[in-house]
Amino acid sequence: MVVGQRVFLFQLIVVAVLVLNHGNVHGLKLGYYQKTCPNAESIVRKTTYGFISRAPTLAAPLLRLHFHDCFVRGCDGSVLLNSTKSQAERDAVPNLSLRGYHVIDAAKSAVEKACPGVVSCADILALVARDSVSMIHGPSWEVPLGRRDGRISRLSEALANLPSPFFNITQLKQNFAAKGLNVKDLAVLSGGHTIGTSHCVAFGIRLYNFTGRGDTDPSMDPKYVAQLKKKCKPGDTTTLVEMDPGSFKTFDEAYYTLVTERRGLFESDAALLKDAETKAYVYQASVHGSTFAKDFAASMVKMGKVGVLTGNQGEIRKHCAFVN
Ligand code: HEM
Ligand SMILES: *[C@@H]1O[C@H](CO)[C@@H](O)[C@H](O)[C@H]1NC(C)=O
Ligand SMILES: *[C@@H]1O[C@H](CO)[C@@H](O)[C@H](O)[C@H]1NC(C)=O
Ligand SMILES: *[C@@H]1O[C@H](CO)[C@@H](O)[C@H](O)[C@H]1NC(C)=O
Ligand SMILES: CC(=O)N[C@H]1CO[C@H](CO)[C@@H](O)[C@@H]1O
């Protein structure tokens, strides 16, 4: 009898724990790997540092990888999957410049050595993005963890979900709202363009053929148009241009100054001046000592929660480019 009661009590506890855990599955949490892989974060940081200290320009594509991951099927590591029979997200046109996959793979294999099959590729992406930004003088933030990896990656979904550099303010707001991100997040996260480079094709039409009559975009500073024309010839698909010239390797608030000067590179950057709220944010963030660093950290945490898989959903991939 006593033994039977104990077994019953034990079963009750097991059920209770399962139920409680289930209540938790929808959230990510800080220190998620504390027990299962206590060094996960430091291993990822060390690996990232190894690359960024030698090539600071890698920080930009690594930040962008996390953004692209989160906007397509949620932050589930799907951007890392290689195409199989059908084409994956990473083969979509907006991937033109996606790079840095080797850093994620290196971090993943270092973490796998310490604790096999425990840490998701989606979490590694979120950590590497944070570490990259903080290593080039940007803000740092704590990354809630516990994302699981998805098994699906579709080229068509990347095209349908990623914002285009040709979007106007209405389209940008809609695109972010569809991910649960508000107008402030749009203004704040666009500040990611304070680092990195772009191919001429993403803005060439503003220089040469804005309305199809060989004209330029009147919302861009004509002097800047002239400068950019020297770098980008019509139809140029290969040349890279610094998005925040002079400080494209440093995470600062200079992007906002550029936008106020009508020197934002994309139509989507310039569009931030077309809405009262985003415009107000651009002007306040352009001042040194603004709240941008703090705001960016907060919006990154929010973006990192978009559509995540948790609990028993998805899997922990063994290799980030392939489903198990
Ligand atoms: C608001 C909508 C956005 C649009 C339309 C957009 C569009 C683009 C485009 C067209 C490029 C250039 C790609 C190329 O031709 O090489 C680019 C680069 C970049 N974007 Fe965005 N982006 C947006 C939001 C974001 C967000 C939210 C982040 C991160 C928080 C981000 C981070 C970056 C970075 C770091 C680069 C430089 C990548 C590199 O140097 O390789 N972008 N973006
Ligand atoms: C994934 O595909 C890319 C090219 O699309 C290739 O360079 C890379 O080696 C592949 N990764 C693996 C692990 O096979
Ligand atoms: C934005 O673009 C959409 C689609 O092309 C168009 O319907 C809408 O009128 C545009 N909105 C503004 C404010 O320009
Ligand atoms: C400019 O755009 C128009 C309309 O789309 C097109 O017919 C023309 O060929 C373009 N010109 C150039 C130089 O690309
Ligand atoms: C880095 C990467 O995966 N680039 C791919 C982008 O998409 C083109 C096809 O559109 C592929 O050829 C590239 O390998």
Side-chain angles (χ1 to χ4, degrees):
M1 273 305 272
V2 175
V3 170
Q5 273 173 348
R6 278 215 189 131
V7 168
F8 177 70
L9 196 69
F10 178 74
Q11 283 171 342
L12 206 72
I13 289 169
V14 168
V15 169
V17 166
L18 284 178
V19 168
L20 285 176
N21 265 344
H22 191 75
N24 253 342
V25 301
H26 298 294
L28 303 176
K29 60 178 196 181
L30 297 177
Y32 181 84
Y33 297 112
Q34 211 156 36
K35 293 217 174 72
T36 52
C37 192
N39 294 327
E41 290 204 37
S42 59
I43 294 169
V44 172
R45 183 174 300 120
K46 210 173 143 193
T47 308
T48 309
Y49 185 77
F51 286 96
I52 301 278
S53 59
R54 273 176 281 142
T57 54
L58 269 175
L62 289 170
L63 169 62
R64 190 163 179 244
L65 266 183
H66 181 44
F67 159 54
H68 278 216
D69 187 34
C70 294
F71 267 55
V72 188
R73 290 197 159 258
C75 319
D76 68 343
S78 55
V79 73
L80 303 171
L81 288 173
N82 259 16
S83 291
T84 49
K85 275 164 288 168
S86 55
Q87 284 194 295
E89 287 166 32
R90 61 195 272 178
D91 291 325
V93 172
N95 87 350
L96 259 171
S97 69
L98 281 188
R99 56 193 188 95
Y101 292 100
H102 63 293
V103 178
I104 307 297
D105 290 341
K108 173 68 171 172
S109 55
V111 170
E112 283 296 297
K113 254 183 216 148
C115 357
V118 172
V119 181
S120 68
C121 297
D123 275 347
I124 289 174
L125 265 180
L127 289 170
V128 169
R130 184 270 313 271
D131 293 340
S132 298
V133 168
S134 70
M135 281 165 198
I136 54 165
H137 311 295
S140 191
W141 56 91
E142 295 215 81
V143 180
L145 298 167
R147 294 169 190 78
R148 309 259 304 171
D149 296 322
R151 295 191 183 96
I152 298 166
S153 180
R154 292 196 187 111
L155 179 142
S156 59
E157 288 179 347
L159 298 179
N161 286 276
L162 290 168
S164 147
F166 310 111
F167 271 6
N168 63 33
I169 189 67
T170 313
Q171 293 168 305
L172 288 169
K173 280 168 34 176
Q174 277 169 359
N175 179 268
F176 271 59
K179 306 295 164 196
L181 298 171
N182 62 28
V183 177
K184 181 176 180 183
D185 296 316
L186 168 62
V188 170
L189 291 171
S190 295
H193 290 169
T194 190
I195 51 172
T197 55
S198 166
H199 290 80
C200 295
V201 277
F203 56 89
I205 195 170
R206 303 183 75 195
L207 311 178
Y208 292 108
N209 207 4
F210 190 58
T211 65
R213 288 189 220 105
D215 52 343
T216 61
D217 183 346
S219 74
M220 187 185 264
D221 170 7
K223 285 199 198 110
Y224 205 46
V225 170
Q227 262 173 260
L228 289 171
K229 276 182 166 175
K230 286 190 196 141
K231 296 192 173 127
C232 301
K233 293 301 159 201
D236 181 338
T237 56
T238 52
T239 305
L240 288 169
V241 171
E242 296 172 18
M243 298 202 288
D244 176 7
S247 72
F248 79 111
K249 289 188 207 169
T250 317
F251 201 95
D252 54 19
E253 62 286 290
Y255 164 80
Y256 293 101
T257 309
L258 281 174
V259 175
T260 64
E261 291 169 343
R262 310 203 310 153
R263 291 176 168 219
L265 204 51
F266 308 135
E267 284 167 64
S268 60
D269 297 318
L272 297 178
L273 296 176
K274 301 282 189 196
D275 168 89
E277 188 179 345
T278 52
K279 182 178 180 182
Y281 189 84
V282 166
Y283 274 87
Q284 82 90 12
S286 68
V287 180
H288 188 69
S290 75
T291 58
F292 171 57
K294 192 171 117 294
D295 296 337
F296 191 77
S299 288
M300 283 299 289
V301 170
K302 205 170 154 188
M303 185 182 86
K305 293 178 179 171
V306 171
V308 292
L309 305 175
T310 53
N312 299 324
Q313 298 169 313
E315 63 185 21
I316 304 295
R317 257 177 242 153
K318 291 194 179 72
H319 189 300
C320 292
F322 307 103
V323 299
N324 292 344

